[in-house]
Amino acid sequence: YEEIAAVYLKSEGYEMIQHNFQCKLGEIDIIARKDGYLRFIEVKYRSNKRSGFPQEAVNYQKQRKICKAASYYMMKNRYSMDTPCCFDVVAILENEIQLFENAFEYCD
């Protein structure tokens, strides 16, 4: 579903940088650029609503892991900590894709 999300994001003007970044602090599904922002993107899929909406799975604990992994990615790749960045979520429910730009703020 990350590939489906990547194709969708490209059609929305995102420039892909990396897929499936992993480190000991967590993982980031997609890293991209758009509108001058470095974007860290979480992709969630659900085949139906029984378990809730996919975006609901990106809870505070998951957000913290993404933030920590994003900080590590920026340090490892020598981005300035002043680099504008944001956290987006791509929710895929059955065959419907929904993009939540700036879905949450950086969390310590």
Side-chain angles (χ1 to χ4, degrees):
Y1 294 97
E2 290 170 19
E3 277 304 314
I4 292 169
V7 169
Y8 174 78
L9 290 168
K10 284 179 189 175
S11 77
E12 293 293 312
Y14 284 68
E15 175 191 338
M16 299 296 121
I17 297 173
Q18 186 169 347
H19 293 258
N20 298 315
F21 173 76
Q22 295 182 335
C23 66
K24 64 181 179 179
L25 300 171
E27 74 174 85
I28 300 169
D29 294 330
I30 298 172
I31 301 170
R33 276 196 191 91
K34 183 183 177 206
D35 298 334
Y37 285 85
L38 183 62
R39 295 177 177 264
F40 299 97
I41 304 154
E42 178 69 8
V43 178
K44 287 294 179 191
Y45 168 79
R46 295 285 184 268
S47 59
N48 58 54
K49 296 178 194 170
R50 266 192 310 239
S51 300
F53 290 96
Q55 62 271 22
E56 294 171 343
V58 188
N59 58 25
Y60 183 72
Q61 184 176 3
K62 181 67 174 170
Q63 292 173 17
R64 283 180 50 101
K65 281 189 165 192
I66 294 167
C67 289
K68 288 178 182 180
S71 290
Y72 180 78
Y73 174 85
M74 291 178 71
M75 181 191 70
K76 181 181 178 201
N77 291 282
R78 297 189 172 136
Y79 282 92
S80 163
M81 291 314 272
D82 294 332
T83 301
C85 64
C86 62
F87 301 90
D88 299 345
V89 173
V90 174
I92 304 173
L93 179 61
E94 298 172 17
N95 294 324
E96 183 180 321
I97 299 176
Q98 199 169 8
L99 172 61
F100 296 91
E101 291 184 304
N102 203 21
F104 58 91
E105 298 292 321
Y106 181 82
C107 40
D108 290 320

